[in-house]
Amino acid sequence: MSRPELLAPPEIFYNDDEARKYTSSSRIIDIQTQLSERALELLALPDDGVPRLLLDIGCGSGLSGETLTEHGHQWLGLDISESMLDIALEREVEGDLMLGDMGQGLGLRSGILDGAISISAVQWLCNADKSCHEPRIRLKAFFSSLYRCLGRGARAVLQIYPENLAQRELILGFAMRAGFSGGIVVDYPHSSKRRKEYLVLTCGPPSLSSTTPEGKGEDGESCSDEDSSEDEENQTVCISDRRRPRKKQKVNKKGKGRDWVLRKKEQMRKKGNAVPADSKYTARKRKDRF
């Protein structure tokens, strides 16, 4: 079966028919419930009976939001598909629903959220569905706004289906640049069917409370470090990895040269910045006078 994000943009793929088919499938409902329960577990909210305000990113018809309601939390739901939100209204879900594109940022007040979850949504940002879409810029806008909306020390758990390792590293890289600490949690890493990946992020620098949880093994127990190290893709990257001391750059007396300029421009492109195209005039020394 083809990945849905490769077939059409989400607001087109999840039309009225597809949205109703998705919500009425008992298999989909069961999977969504399991993923939502696991995401809520990884959020590690205090067990003090106080309801929290959570954000469900890519809430769809509210299947995952119902899990949040069952645990006594209040929630906001964001989705780009109007058809999905219409069905959520028909089902009278408890959360407040918002129609919007997460790739344009989250328009919420700073520090308002106690946590956030997302089930099978964030990987859609890696696809350019329109000529104006640039995945790196959209990922940067999403994670920067998510970091701003979360309270200090709050967690976000994003369940993702990356197409390949490069796509996973792209998503994780922009999360780290936004200021998050954390990494990837892989459940059932050696199973092709049950394998699930969760991006567990904490708002703020690394601490004891921001330690990335362990994934589940085939027996349902936590995977040991030895088991996870066998999987080349099960890597955890934290904020400290990108704050290591930088080596002093040797500056050539003649100048930094064309290679240095091209390398710097490529680094800026990876960060999502607008950079002029390379040409034969790039880094060419100007004459002293005309």
Side-chain angles (χ1 to χ4, degrees):
M1 182 177 179
S2 300
R3 299 170 64 92
E5 60 265 27
L6 301 180
L7 300 178
E11 64 271 26
I12 297 177
F13 180 82
Y14 289 109
N15 53 26
D16 292 343
D17 293 337
E18 189 66 29
R20 293 193 179 279
K21 186 191 306 181
Y22 185 94
T23 309
S24 61
S25 170
S26 59
R27 174 178 169 273
I28 293 295
I29 294 174
D30 184 53
I31 292 175
Q32 281 277 18
T33 302
Q34 293 179 20
L35 295 177
S36 303
E37 290 280 358
R38 177 58 170 155
L40 197 55
E41 177 186 345
L42 292 172
L43 272 183
L45 296 171
D47 188 13
D48 53 9
V50 178
R52 262 65 186 186
L53 179 61
L54 307 176
L55 175 65
D56 185 3
I57 304 163
C59 64
S61 56
L63 296 178
S64 52
E66 289 181 338
T67 302
L68 303 180
T69 300
E70 290 172 2
H71 285 78
H73 300 296
Q74 299 175 346
W75 58 279
L76 308 173
L78 174 71
D79 203 277
I80 196 174
S81 171
E82 189 172 357
S83 298
M84 279 288 200
L85 294 179
D86 287 342
I87 293 181
L89 290 174
E90 290 178 9
R91 299 175 67 243
E92 298 182 349
V93 297
E94 295 293 331
D96 295 326
L97 305 176
M98 301 176 290
L99 177 64
D101 180 5
M102 60 181 169
Q104 295 181 354
L106 309 176
L108 297 174
R109 197 173 70 218
S110 299
I112 193 175
L113 300 174
D114 299 311
I117 69 167
S118 177
I119 307 299
S120 313
V122 176
Q123 71 271 4
W124 287 81
L125 292 175
C126 297
N127 295 277
D129 297 319
K130 300 178 181 179
S131 59
C132 60
H133 283 182
E134 169 54 49
R136 296 178 185 277
I137 295 178
R138 289 168 60 76
L139 284 167
K140 181 180 180 181
F142 168 66
F143 282 112
S144 298
S145 60
L146 178 60
Y147 186 89
R148 185 173 60 253
C149 296
L150 288 170
R152 190 71 168 178
R155 272 188 178 180
V157 178
L158 315 175
Q159 188 271 323
I160 56 175
Y161 288 111
E163 187 175 5
N164 47 46
L165 182 58
Q167 193 174 95
R168 181 216 270 186
E169 291 178 346
L170 179 68
I171 296 172
L172 182 59
F174 276 94
M176 297 298 105
R177 292 189 188 101
F180 286 104
S181 59
I184 298 284
V185 173
V186 181
D187 285 351
Y188 314 110
H190 307 298
S191 173
S192 58
K193 292 185 177 180
R194 301 182 66 190
R195 178 188 176 98
K196 296 293 183 293
E197 299 187 17
Y198 300 84
L199 185 55
V200 182
L201 306 172
T202 302
C203 186
S207 63
L208 292 177
S209 61
S210 65
T211 304
T212 306
E214 294 181 346
K216 291 184 178 180
E218 296 301 323
D219 54 357
E221 300 295 329
S222 297
C223 294
S224 63
D225 294 338
E226 289 79 6
D227 293 335
S228 60
S229 62
E230 292 177 2
D231 187 0
E232 294 181 357
E233 297 183 357
N234 189 17
Q235 303 168 354
T236 298
V237 180
C238 66
I239 196 172
S240 57
D241 291 336
R242 59 185 178 84
R243 289 186 176 176
R244 59 185 182 275
R246 295 182 179 180
K247 295 181 179 179
K248 293 183 178 180
Q249 297 179 349
K250 295 181 180 179
V251 180
N252 192 344
K253 292 182 180 180
K254 296 181 180 179
K256 296 181 178 178
R258 177 181 173 83
D259 293 339
W260 183 89
V261 172
L262 293 175
R263 188 166 63 253
K264 285 296 179 182
K265 291 178 70 175
E266 185 61 29
Q267 290 177 1
M268 296 297 286
R269 290 191 185 99
K270 290 181 179 180
K271 292 180 180 179
N273 297 323
V275 180
D278 299 335
S279 70
K280 65 179 182 180
Y281 301 107
T282 301
R284 177 176 290 186
K285 190 177 185 306
R286 294 176 179 270
K287 294 183 179 180
D288 294 335
R289 60 181 179 179
F290 291 105

